[in-house]
Amino acid sequence: MAPELPFEFNVPGIPVSFQGSASSKEAWKKKIREAARASLPEGAWALDTRLEVTIFFLAGEMMTGDLDNRIKPILDALTGPIYLDDQLVDRLVVQRFAPSQAGQIVNPSLTLISAIASAAPIVCIRFDDEPSRERAI
């Protein structure tokens, strides 16, 4: 059975840049895959449907560096445990928040609320099969 959508989970840590060392990128991808697998229902298989992916970076302080360089390792790591191919992603919503900004999120999910409550840097990732311009996670 495929995971029921929307589906979301948190990954503790600061995203590694695509320009980072090979070993740091592989360690980050492994961490993402492990968090994804731990959040999936037992026996779930990878999605093969068009998807919207939302990624929120919540850091202890404002994260520096190019946001776009931190996305590719995350999407690549999700190929396999979550979806068959990252070409299935039709819409990608990404935002980073400093701690003072996290309270501005409208209608946060329980998963996002737990990310906001964390004192450590964390990444919240959500998957949906009904892209919407109106929805916040």
Side-chain angles (χ1 to χ4, degrees):
M1 104 186 131
E4 187 175 321
L5 296 175
F7 172 75
E8 56 192 3
F9 64 94
N10 293 325
V11 184
I14 296 175
V16 173
S17 173
F18 182 69
Q19 298 172 336
S21 71
S23 62
S24 66
K25 285 188 291 192
E26 283 310 308
W28 177 239
K29 287 179 186 180
K30 180 181 178 190
K31 190 174 192 176
I32 293 166
R33 285 189 291 270
E34 288 172 353
R37 287 184 181 116
S39 300
L40 286 166
E42 189 171 332
W45 65 77
L47 296 163
D48 62 356
T49 185
R50 308 309 296 183
L51 294 167
E52 172 182 299
V53 179
T54 303
I55 304 171
F56 283 167
F57 300 139
L58 296 108
E61 56 189 55
M62 194 57 165
M63 187 179 68
T64 59
D66 293 349
L67 192 60
D68 61 321
N69 288 332
R70 297 177 188 269
I71 304 304
K72 183 146 180 56
I74 294 172
L75 294 177
D76 288 348
L78 297 169
T79 300
I82 300 295
Y83 43 68
L84 295 177
D85 191 312
D86 58 3
Q87 290 184 17
L88 293 168
V89 177
D90 281 339
R91 183 166 190 245
L92 179 62
V93 178
V94 180
Q95 188 163 351
R96 61 180 156 196
F97 293 92
S100 62
Q101 297 173 310
Q104 301 170 4
I105 299 172
V106 178
N107 298 324
S109 67
L110 293 177
T111 303
L112 185 53
I113 288 170
S114 71
I116 293 168
S118 173
I122 197 162
V123 179
C124 183
I125 306 172
R126 176 186 171 112
F127 306 89
D128 206 312
D129 60 351
E130 296 181 18
S132 166
R133 297 174 197 260
E134 308 287 321
R135 186 183 354 81
I137 76 168

